Amino acid sequence: MKKIGFLLTLFFMVSCSTNKTAEIHYSRLSEGFLAIKTFILSKGQKRTYSNRFNNNPYYSFGDREVFLNPEPGGPRQHPQWNMNCDPKLSDFTELVIRTKEFQYYYFKWNKSKSKIEFSPDANHPQNTEARGIALFIKILHHVQRSRN
């Protein structure tokens, strides 16, 4: 019962900014991001899903796939510095949910602000923040069940 309350609290504690990027301030969502990332890095596989990176850490949660993108790095903070997704070179600060319909939802950990940012897919305006958060919570629930 505690987990359901936790998940419902996460869903309702979201605030939106005016610039189409939702800033999710609730610290439990940040904890959820880290839990999902840790789960994928320890139990997942590698799979390339776009032409930006190769061998992304990945896990299939039924009809949803979740990929991790590395943070920018190197001497000039280049976005593709860790093109081959080597966990020894950089952290993974972006979580990408892909549905079976190939709809994408992007969650980025902003380290400097200590919060999660949701970025909608410009090609699919129906991919709303609310739908992205709902998918995120379902994945988090799966991760929590797998631990027990």
Side-chain angles (χ1 to χ4, degrees):
M1 193 63 170
K2 265 185 166 178
K3 287 182 184 177
I4 292 171
F6 168 73
L7 294 174
L8 289 173
T9 302
L10 284 177
F11 185 74
F12 291 110
M13 296 299 290
V14 175
S15 65
C16 296
S17 66
T18 58
N19 65 358
K20 289 192 175 189
T21 297
E23 295 177 353
I24 303 159
H25 299 284
Y26 197 55
S27 64
R28 293 250 174 135
L29 200 52
S30 298
E31 292 169 13
F33 180 94
L34 296 174
I36 294 169
K37 178 177 85 168
T38 301
F39 179 84
I40 292 171
L41 290 172
S42 66
K43 300 196 185 294
Q45 300 172 337
K46 298 269 189 168
R47 178 178 282 179
T48 300
Y49 79 98
S50 74
N51 61 0
R52 284 180 52 206
F53 303 107
N54 301 312
N55 303 314
N56 298 71
Y58 143 89
Y59 195 88
S60 178
F61 294 91
D63 60 350
R64 294 166 213 93
E65 297 174 309
V66 180
F67 299 89
L68 298 175
N69 288 338
E71 69 182 336
R76 294 187 180 91
Q77 293 298 304
H78 192 278
Q80 288 181 290
W81 178 73
N82 188 3
M83 180 185 263
N84 290 314
C85 298
D86 184 348
K88 295 176 195 144
L89 293 179
S90 68
D91 194 6
F92 292 90
T93 55
E94 187 172 42
L95 184 145
V96 181
I97 300 172
R98 180 172 73 184
T99 67
K100 66 181 177 181
E101 298 86 19
F102 286 85
Q103 304 293 307
Y104 293 85
Y105 299 85
Y106 301 90
F107 295 88
K108 186 169 186 168
W109 171 245
N110 185 324
K111 287 182 174 184
S112 65
K113 296 180 181 178
S114 296
K115 63 184 169 189
I116 304 296
E117 297 173 343
F118 172 79
S119 298
D121 183 350
N123 297 321
H124 299 96
Q126 72 276 18
N127 294 2
T128 63
E129 175 190 359
R131 177 140 164 73
I133 297 291
L135 291 170
F136 184 96
I137 290 171
K138 286 179 183 178
I139 291 164
L140 179 58
H141 186 67
H142 182 279
V143 167
Q144 290 174 332
R145 279 193 322 237
S146 296
R147 284 191 200 161
N148 299 335

